[in-house]
């Protein structure tokens, strides 16, 4: 069933222009049923009540339980990566249930910053991936902050080769969860010191060297494999 | 330190032609020290004893403990995927410690078969990724067999949306481990029945729909996050 993101679930809804071209190719007719979601966890059935040039009106139907979300929101905080790596991580992280992707600048990040066009592209990728993975939440992709300003508002983890601590042993769902993932060039000592002071728990991903685009998926894979 | 794959660790070794071009760009000189590994778990230091047109001779030094391998070999059995997806999975799965990648044909596989050139390319990718992740083992990439002929010779797992069983609860290291990952189009009922009879335990990756290239990394991520 086709899923359309709307601004809010209201009794009567217009299909936003950005969604309209997806709907057009389906050749929907008045009376057809689709799914609508607001990107913040609410999802419902909706009936096409009217079609007109360049748009459609939808009537809200029964709500659908948003069963695809983790018990608390998970944030992936990730250093800027080169080329399409950040796009690939955004897509997979969305499938793996993150609620938020916080981009980070850091001393050895692959690129120093990200432009508005690239940021917008990541947001579109997160939207598409949330639809394809049947989620009612579209992760926010937040403009970069320096890693030295990153705060943890609950259980927070950083992969570290030198530790034997396991993420899943420390995974309580009593507050939002954050996992942080570094650039190809690693963190500076000062950045590591900040993260430790900010309460990030070092956890193991085994003794091998993982690329910067593989490590975040391994961390998130470990979380989803617990069944959330 | 540069790592070179050799056929076997012997007192005197020739650098294979396929490795020579990597070494040339390093402008090594006689007396320089590098690492050699045989792709089956053995790794050692080696000294460049002689350089000549188109090759080099190495003298074996102290062996290095291969600490980067899981307690038992892990096999990723994966249905054929389209385009570069299989290359991406091979690269990441190698970093995540698999000893073997068994390709599978299946009813709804993205492509019906894989040619010798593409298979050879996957093997080169596994070799490169094993070097970059500092492994002494290069995963075998095995030509496809039908999924209905896949056997499990130890704990074996298949991701299944309908279960709450956790991979890590069933992960004993008393025999080689196998994880199986399906094609974008899923398995047929007959294929699922075969896998169940062959002893594959269904395990959860949460309630979301994962793409065929994300699910295997989540399964392997869950394994490495236990610290192996």
């Amino acid at each position: 069933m086709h899923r359309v993101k709307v601004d809010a679930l209201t009794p009567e809804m217009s299909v936003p222009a950005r969604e309209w071209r997806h709907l057009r190719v389906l050749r929907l007719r008045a009376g057809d049923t689709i799914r609508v979601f607001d990107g913040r966890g609410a999802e419902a059935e909706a009936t096409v009540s009217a079609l007109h040039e360049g748009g459609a009106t939808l009537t809200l139907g029964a709500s659908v339980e948003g069963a695809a979300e983790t018990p608390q929101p998970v944030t992936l905080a990730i250093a800027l990566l080169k080329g399409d790596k950040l796009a690939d991580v955004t897509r997979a992280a969305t499938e793996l249930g993150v609620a938020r992707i916080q981009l980070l600048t850091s001393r050895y990040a692959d690129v120093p910053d990200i432009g508005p066009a690239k940021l917008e592209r990541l947001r579109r990728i997160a939207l598409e991936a949330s639809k394809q993975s049947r989620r009612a939440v579209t992760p926010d992709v937040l403009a970069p902050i320096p890693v030295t300003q990153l705060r943890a508002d609950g259980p927070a983890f950083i992969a570290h080769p030198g530790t034997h601590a396991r993420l899943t042993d420390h995974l309580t769902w009593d507050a939002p969860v954050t996992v942080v993932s570094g650039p190809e060039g690693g963190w500076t000592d000062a950045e590591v010191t900040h993260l430790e002071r900010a309460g990030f728990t070092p956890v193991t991903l085994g003794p091998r060297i993982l690329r910067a685009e593989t490590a975040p998926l391994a961390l998130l894979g470990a979380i989803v494999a617990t069944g959330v």
Side-chain angles (χ1 to χ4, degrees), chain A:
Chain A
M1 181 168 303
H2 196 79
R3 301 173 73 241
V4 172
K5 186 176 177 185
V6 293
D7 296 329
L9 267 53
T10 54
E12 292 285 318
M13 296 163 287
S14 294
V15 175
R18 65 175 183 275
E19 295 287 324
W20 173 241
R21 63 197 164 97
H22 297 305
L23 274 190
R24 263 178 67 186
V25 299
L26 297 178
R27 301 180 181 285
L28 286 176
R29 285 188 283 192
D32 285 350
T33 302
I34 61 171
R35 287 270 179 95
V36 289
F37 71 105
D38 69 358
R40 297 179 298 277
E43 178 160 351
E45 299 199 330
T47 308
V48 178
S49 46
L51 286 161
H52 47 85
E53 187 65 37
T57 308
L58 307 173
T59 304
L60 193 65
S63 71
V64 175
E65 284 308 309
E69 300 308 316
T70 51
Q72 294 271 356
V74 174
T75 296
L76 170 63
I78 185 163
L80 292 176
L81 305 178
K82 253 190 292 200
D84 270 347
K85 293 179 188 176
L86 215 45
D88 290 344
V89 171
T90 298
R91 194 176 289 113
T94 301
E95 293 170 53
L96 294 169
V98 302
R100 217 164 58 137
I101 296 174
Q102 172 64 64
L103 301 177
L104 301 173
T105 57
S106 70
R107 180 82 169 78
Y108 299 135
D110 297 6
V111 290
D113 207 350
I114 184 170
K118 285 192 176 166
L119 190 57
E120 194 45 49
R121 176 161 177 257
L122 293 180
R123 288 172 176 154
R124 282 200 306 273
I125 285 169
L127 171 58
E128 282 310 309
S130 63
K131 286 187 198 176
Q132 282 169 12
S133 56
R134 312 256 175 92
R135 293 183 59 190
V137 168
T138 298
D140 286 327
V141 181
L142 303 176
I145 59 171
V147 62
T148 48
Q149 287 174 19
L150 184 65
R151 300 276 170 267
D153 40 357
F157 305 98
I158 179 169
H160 193 284
T163 182
H164 292 283
R166 299 176 181 196
L167 188 155
T168 47
D169 289 343
H170 292 81
L171 191 63
T172 58
W173 289 103
D174 52 357
V177 172
T178 306
V179 295
V180 64
S181 194
E184 207 65 47
W187 306 111
T188 65
D189 288 346
E191 288 166 349
V192 170
T193 302
H194 164 74
L195 289 168
E196 284 172 359
R197 284 187 189 154
F200 284 81
T201 304
V203 291
T204 179
L205 286 176
R208 292 154 299 273
I209 307 294
L210 302 180
R211 282 175 304 153
E213 62 265 46
T214 306
L217 307 190
L219 288 170
L220 296 171
I223 294 177
V224 301
T226 67
V228 296

PDB file of all heavy atoms in Angstrom, chain A residues 97-115:
ATOM      1  N   GLY A  97      16.108   2.209  12.274  1.00  0.00           N
ATOM      2  CA  GLY A  97      15.248   2.752  13.314  1.00  0.00           C
ATOM      3  C   GLY A  97      15.673   4.037  13.994  1.00  0.00           C
ATOM      4  O   GLY A  97      15.041   4.416  14.992  1.00  0.00           O
ATOM      5  N   VAL A  98      16.698   4.742  13.507  1.00  0.00           N
ATOM      6  CA  VAL A  98      17.075   5.960  14.220  1.00  0.00           C
ATOM      7  C   VAL A  98      15.985   7.030  14.095  1.00  0.00           C
ATOM      8  O   VAL A  98      15.264   7.104  13.101  1.00  0.00           O
ATOM      9  CB  VAL A  98      18.431   6.558  13.758  1.00  0.00           C
ATOM     10  CG1 VAL A  98      19.556   5.547  13.915  1.00  0.00           C
ATOM     11  CG2 VAL A  98      18.353   7.087  12.351  1.00  0.00           C
ATOM     12  N   ALA A  99      15.863   7.847  15.135  1.00  0.00           N
ATOM     13  CA  ALA A  99      14.891   8.939  15.132  1.00  0.00           C
ATOM     14  C   ALA A  99      15.543  10.239  14.689  1.00  0.00           C
ATOM     15  O   ALA A  99      14.869  11.177  14.275  1.00  0.00           O
ATOM     16  CB  ALA A  99      14.302   9.117  16.529  1.00  0.00           C
ATOM     17  N   ARG A 100      16.872  10.281  14.775  1.00  0.00           N
ATOM     18  CA  ARG A 100      17.573  11.521  14.540  1.00  0.00           C
ATOM     19  C   ARG A 100      18.995  11.217  14.095  1.00  0.00           C
ATOM     20  O   ARG A 100      19.631  10.308  14.650  1.00  0.00           O
ATOM     21  CB  ARG A 100      17.631  12.320  15.857  1.00  0.00           C
ATOM     22  CG  ARG A 100      17.487  13.800  15.713  1.00  0.00           C
ATOM     23  CD  ARG A 100      17.173  14.420  17.064  1.00  0.00           C
ATOM     24  NE  ARG A 100      18.196  14.112  18.051  1.00  0.00           N
ATOM     25  CZ  ARG A 100      18.682  15.021  18.902  1.00  0.00           C
ATOM     26  NH1 ARG A 100      18.238  16.282  18.884  1.00  0.00           N
ATOM     27  NH2 ARG A 100      19.584  14.684  19.791  1.00  0.00           N
ATOM     28  N   ILE A 101      19.467  11.947  13.114  1.00  0.00           N
ATOM     29  CA  ILE A 101      20.868  11.858  12.710  1.00  0.00           C
ATOM     30  C   ILE A 101      21.490  13.227  12.958  1.00  0.00           C
ATOM     31  O   ILE A 101      21.081  14.215  12.349  1.00  0.00           O
ATOM     32  CB  ILE A 101      20.995  11.437  11.232  1.00  0.00           C
ATOM     33  CG1 ILE A 101      20.430  10.026  11.038  1.00  0.00           C
ATOM     34  CG2 ILE A 101      22.455  11.510  10.765  1.00  0.00           C
ATOM     35  CD1 ILE A 101      20.358   9.557   9.606  1.00  0.00           C
ATOM     36  N   GLN A 102      22.408  13.268  13.924  1.00  0.00           N
ATOM     37  CA  GLN A 102      23.087  14.530  14.249  1.00  0.00           C
ATOM     38  C   GLN A 102      24.448  14.515  13.566  1.00  0.00           C
ATOM     39  O   GLN A 102      25.321  13.738  13.942  1.00  0.00           O
ATOM     40  CB  GLN A 102      23.248  14.678  15.771  1.00  0.00           C
ATOM     41  CG  GLN A 102      24.103  15.864  16.194  1.00  0.00           C
ATOM     42  CD  GLN A 102      23.476  17.202  15.804  1.00  0.00           C
ATOM     43  OE1 GLN A 102      22.407  17.558  16.299  1.00  0.00           O
ATOM     44  NE2 GLN A 102      24.124  17.937  14.892  1.00  0.00           N
ATOM     45  N   LEU A 103      24.615  15.358  12.565  1.00  0.00           N
ATOM     46  CA  LEU A 103      25.914  15.435  11.898  1.00  0.00           C
ATOM     47  C   LEU A 103      26.911  16.164  12.793  1.00  0.00           C
ATOM     48  O   LEU A 103      26.524  17.042  13.580  1.00  0.00           O
ATOM     49  CB  LEU A 103      25.770  16.148  10.553  1.00  0.00           C
ATOM     50  CG  LEU A 103      24.797  15.470   9.573  1.00  0.00           C
ATOM     51  CD1 LEU A 103      24.670  16.302   8.297  1.00  0.00           C
ATOM     52  CD2 LEU A 103      25.224  14.052   9.243  1.00  0.00           C
ATOM     53  N   LEU A 104      28.175  15.760  12.671  1.00  0.00           N
ATOM     54  CA  LEU A 104      29.223  16.310  13.524  1.00  0.00           C
ATOM     55  C   LEU A 104      30.403  16.791  12.687  1.00  0.00           C
ATOM     56  O   LEU A 104      30.824  16.095  11.760  1.00  0.00           O
ATOM     57  CB  LEU A 104      29.754  15.238  14.483  1.00  0.00           C
ATOM     58  CG  LEU A 104      28.762  14.583  15.436  1.00  0.00           C
ATOM     59  CD1 LEU A 104      29.453  13.436  16.169  1.00  0.00           C
ATOM     60  CD2 LEU A 104      28.212  15.606  16.425  1.00  0.00           C
ATOM     61  N   THR A 105      30.925  17.957  13.031  1.00  0.00           N
ATOM     62  CA  THR A 105      32.222  18.332  12.504  1.00  0.00           C
ATOM     63  C   THR A 105      33.262  17.905  13.530  1.00  0.00           C
ATOM     64  O   THR A 105      32.969  17.821  14.726  1.00  0.00           O
ATOM     65  CB  THR A 105      32.333  19.852  12.250  1.00  0.00           C
ATOM     66  OG1 THR A 105      32.072  20.548  13.474  1.00  0.00           O
ATOM     67  CG2 THR A 105      31.318  20.306  11.203  1.00  0.00           C
ATOM     68  N   SER A 106      34.464  17.607  13.035  1.00  0.00           N
ATOM     69  CA  SER A 106      35.537  17.204  13.942  1.00  0.00           C
ATOM     70  C   SER A 106      36.861  17.475  13.248  1.00  0.00           C
ATOM     71  O   SER A 106      36.913  17.718  12.044  1.00  0.00           O
ATOM     72  CB  SER A 106      35.399  15.727  14.331  1.00  0.00           C
ATOM     73  OG  SER A 106      35.684  14.903  13.230  1.00  0.00           O
ATOM     74  N   ARG A 107      37.924  17.408  14.016  1.00  0.00           N
ATOM     75  CA  ARG A 107      39.255  17.786  13.516  1.00  0.00           C
ATOM     76  C   ARG A 107      39.650  16.983  12.282  1.00  0.00           C
ATOM     77  O   ARG A 107      40.155  17.524  11.322  1.00  0.00           O
ATOM     78  CB  ARG A 107      40.241  17.549  14.662  1.00  0.00           C
ATOM     79  CG  ARG A 107      41.677  17.877  14.372  1.00  0.00           C
ATOM     80  CD  ARG A 107      41.949  19.358  14.528  1.00  0.00           C
ATOM     81  NE  ARG A 107      43.383  19.628  14.500  1.00  0.00           N
ATOM     82  CZ  ARG A 107      44.101  19.663  13.385  1.00  0.00           C
ATOM     83  NH1 ARG A 107      43.538  19.456  12.219  1.00  0.00           N
ATOM     84  NH2 ARG A 107      45.408  19.899  13.451  1.00  0.00           N
ATOM     85  N   TYR A 108      39.428  15.648  12.328  1.00  0.00           N
ATOM     86  CA  TYR A 108      39.875  14.800  11.235  1.00  0.00           C
ATOM     87  C   TYR A 108      38.710  14.332  10.351  1.00  0.00           C
ATOM     88  O   TYR A 108      38.824  13.311   9.667  1.00  0.00           O
ATOM     89  CB  TYR A 108      40.626  13.574  11.773  1.00  0.00           C
ATOM     90  CG  TYR A 108      41.862  13.916  12.573  1.00  0.00           C
ATOM     91  CD1 TYR A 108      42.126  13.277  13.776  1.00  0.00           C
ATOM     92  CD2 TYR A 108      42.772  14.867  12.108  1.00  0.00           C
ATOM     93  CE1 TYR A 108      43.273  13.584  14.511  1.00  0.00           C
ATOM     94  CE2 TYR A 108      43.909  15.182  12.843  1.00  0.00           C
ATOM     95  CZ  TYR A 108      44.151  14.538  14.047  1.00  0.00           C
ATOM     96  OH  TYR A 108      45.272  14.835  14.770  1.00  0.00           O
ATOM     97  N   ALA A 109      37.596  15.046  10.405  1.00  0.00           N
ATOM     98  CA  ALA A 109      36.457  14.653   9.557  1.00  0.00           C
ATOM     99  C   ALA A 109      36.886  14.689   8.094  1.00  0.00           C
ATOM    100  O   ALA A 109      37.766  15.470   7.713  1.00  0.00           O
ATOM    101  CB  ALA A 109      35.281  15.590   9.795  1.00  0.00           C
ATOM    102  N   ASP A 110      36.259  13.829   7.276  1.00  0.00           N
ATOM    103  CA  ASP A 110      36.645  13.728   5.866  1.00  0.00           C
ATOM    104  C   ASP A 110      36.438  15.053   5.142  1.00  0.00           C
ATOM    105  O   ASP A 110      37.181  15.403   4.235  1.00  0.00           O
ATOM    106  CB  ASP A 110      35.801  12.656   5.153  1.00  0.00           C
ATOM    107  CG  ASP A 110      36.029  11.276   5.738  1.00  0.00           C
ATOM    108  OD1 ASP A 110      36.744  11.165   6.746  1.00  0.00           O
ATOM    109  OD2 ASP A 110      35.497  10.318   5.175  1.00  0.00           O
ATOM    110  N   VAL A 111      35.394  15.768   5.514  1.00  0.00           N
ATOM    111  CA  VAL A 111      35.115  17.081   4.921  1.00  0.00           C
ATOM    112  C   VAL A 111      34.820  18.049   6.061  1.00  0.00           C
ATOM    113  O   VAL A 111      34.307  17.649   7.105  1.00  0.00           O
ATOM    114  CB  VAL A 111      33.909  17.023   3.942  1.00  0.00           C
ATOM    115  CG1 VAL A 111      34.282  16.234   2.688  1.00  0.00           C
ATOM    116  CG2 VAL A 111      32.687  16.406   4.589  1.00  0.00           C
ATOM    117  N   PRO A 112      35.144  19.331   5.885  1.00  0.00           N
ATOM    118  CA  PRO A 112      35.002  20.274   7.002  1.00  0.00           C
ATOM    119  C   PRO A 112      33.551  20.672   7.277  1.00  0.00           C
ATOM    120  O   PRO A 112      33.197  20.983   8.411  1.00  0.00           O
ATOM    121  CB  PRO A 112      35.822  21.487   6.555  1.00  0.00           C
ATOM    122  CG  PRO A 112      35.890  21.385   5.068  1.00  0.00           C
ATOM    123  CD  PRO A 112      35.818  19.939   4.725  1.00  0.00           C
ATOM    124  N   ASP A 113      32.704  20.659   6.231  1.00  0.00           N
ATOM    125  CA  ASP A 113      31.325  21.116   6.442  1.00  0.00           C
ATOM    126  C   ASP A 113      30.422  20.507   5.365  1.00  0.00           C
ATOM    127  O   ASP A 113      30.896  19.817   4.466  1.00  0.00           O
ATOM    128  CB  ASP A 113      31.271  22.644   6.378  1.00  0.00           C
ATOM    129  CG  ASP A 113      30.108  23.196   7.209  1.00  0.00           C
ATOM    130  OD1 ASP A 113      29.258  22.392   7.657  1.00  0.00           O
ATOM    131  OD2 ASP A 113      30.051  24.403   7.405  1.00  0.00           O
ATOM    132  N   ILE A 114      29.125  20.774   5.458  1.00  0.00           N
ATOM    133  CA  ILE A 114      28.182  20.258   4.476  1.00  0.00           C
ATOM    134  C   ILE A 114      27.271  21.421   4.051  1.00  0.00           C
ATOM    135  O   ILE A 114      26.821  22.195   4.896  1.00  0.00           O
ATOM    136  CB  ILE A 114      27.381  19.065   5.054  1.00  0.00           C
ATOM    137  CG1 ILE A 114      26.465  18.444   4.004  1.00  0.00           C
ATOM    138  CG2 ILE A 114      26.597  19.461   6.300  1.00  0.00           C
ATOM    139  CD1 ILE A 114      25.842  17.129   4.456  1.00  0.00           C
ATOM    140  N   GLY A 115      27.057  21.570   2.758  1.00  0.00           N
ATOM    141  CA  GLY A 115      26.232  22.656   2.256  1.00  0.00           C
ATOM    142  C   GLY A 115      24.756  22.371   2.398  1.00  0.00           C
ATOM    143  O   GLY A 115      24.363  21.230   2.646  1.00  0.00           O
TER     144      GLY A 115
END
